[in-house]
């Protein structure tokens, strides 16, 4: 087999390919796959069907001003919003979210480190994990459950008839 044929055969199994079957470059993946996916998910602007062959696209600019435009196809509207909207999540942000979810759900840090491919656990903890919004409630819940297990079981109060006349049980 010639070298070119080997490359074509190896590339056919790729999920994200260009029009001739080659792997998408990073910049093309972001422009053609990632940003349009964020638009369709409503995480980067929005596209709404307003009638037959009418789609209204809305997106924020750098100053937070909302812009909108009309298009005849959803594909055009999504591509336009993906090109014009500012912000949005980067693909690499998924690594940070994944590490944070694992640590938050109690997976030991040495296992998270191994899954993430980091040489040191400090890289995983300091750079890839982030504090969840409900961290204070989680800390309090951890203290409540562990403190409750340290306390002796509560004794029942004896009925009033077993107490002597002055109200003391000694």
């Amino acid at each position: 087999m010639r070298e070119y044929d080997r490359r074509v055969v190896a590339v056919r199994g790729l999920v994200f390919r260009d029009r001739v079957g080659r792997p998408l470059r990073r910049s093309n993946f972001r422009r053609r796959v990632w940003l349009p996916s964020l638009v369709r998910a409503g995480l980067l602007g929005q596209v709404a069907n307003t009638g037959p062959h009418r789609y209204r696209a809305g997106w924020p600019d750098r100053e937070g001003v909302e812009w909108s435009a009309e298009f005849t196809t959803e594909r055009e509207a999504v591509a336009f919003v993906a090109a014009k909207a500012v912000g949005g999540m980067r693909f690499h942000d998924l690594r940070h979210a994944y590490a944070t979810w694992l640590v938050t759900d109690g997976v030991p840090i040495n296992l998270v480190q191994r899954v993430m491919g980091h040489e040191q656990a400090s890289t995983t903890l300091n750079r890839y994990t982030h504090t969840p919004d409900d961290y204070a409630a989680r800390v309090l819940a951890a203290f409540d459950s562990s403190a409750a297990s340290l306390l002796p079981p509560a004794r029942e109060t004896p009925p009033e008839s077993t107490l002597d006349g002055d109200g003391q049980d000694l």
Side-chain angles (χ1 to χ4, degrees):
M1 250 179 145
R2 294 182 316 208
E3 179 62 29
Y4 174 76
D5 293 335
R6 284 189 205 127
R7 280 188 281 140
V8 170
V9 169
V11 170
R12 289 212 172 136
L14 295 174
V15 175
F16 302 110
R17 302 183 301 232
D18 65 9
R19 288 184 174 92
V20 294
R22 292 178 302 210
L24 282 179
R25 289 192 321 261
R26 185 172 162 182
S27 60
N28 284 340
F29 174 81
R30 180 172 171 76
R31 181 178 54 84
R32 292 184 61 210
V33 177
W34 185 249
L35 292 175
S37 296
L38 292 179
V39 172
R40 287 188 174 98
L43 299 172
L44 182 65
Q46 55 190 357
V47 172
N49 186 342
T50 58
H53 304 291
R54 293 179 56 106
Y55 294 89
R56 181 177 258 330
W59 68 94
D61 66 8
R62 291 201 187 281
E63 287 78 35
V65 176
E66 287 288 327
W67 293 85
S68 66
E70 297 268 337
F71 296 90
T72 57
T73 67
E74 181 190 28
R75 184 178 183 150
E76 286 175 323
V78 167
F80 192 83
V81 171
K84 295 290 184 178
V86 175
M89 179 173 53
R90 299 170 304 150
F91 188 76
H92 185 79
D93 293 338
L94 294 176
R95 278 182 60 86
H96 292 259
Y98 181 63
T100 300
W101 291 333
L102 290 175
V103 170
T104 302
D105 287 343
V107 175
I109 191 61
N110 61 330
L111 295 179
V112 177
Q113 169 198 353
R114 189 176 306 156
V115 167
M116 298 296 292
H118 297 147
E119 288 185 21
Q120 299 177 352
S122 61
T123 301
T124 307
L125 284 173
N126 297 337
R127 197 168 290 162
Y128 277 84
T129 60
H130 306 282
T131 306
D133 292 336
D134 64 342
Y135 77 94
R138 288 177 183 246
V139 170
L140 289 175
F143 276 115
D144 284 346
S145 65
S146 64
S149 67
L150 296 175
L151 296 174
R155 294 187 330 199
E156 290 185 27
T157 307
E160 297 244 350
S161 62
T162 60
L163 298 174
D164 52 358
D166 61 0
Q168 297 178 3
D169 60 347
L170 293 176

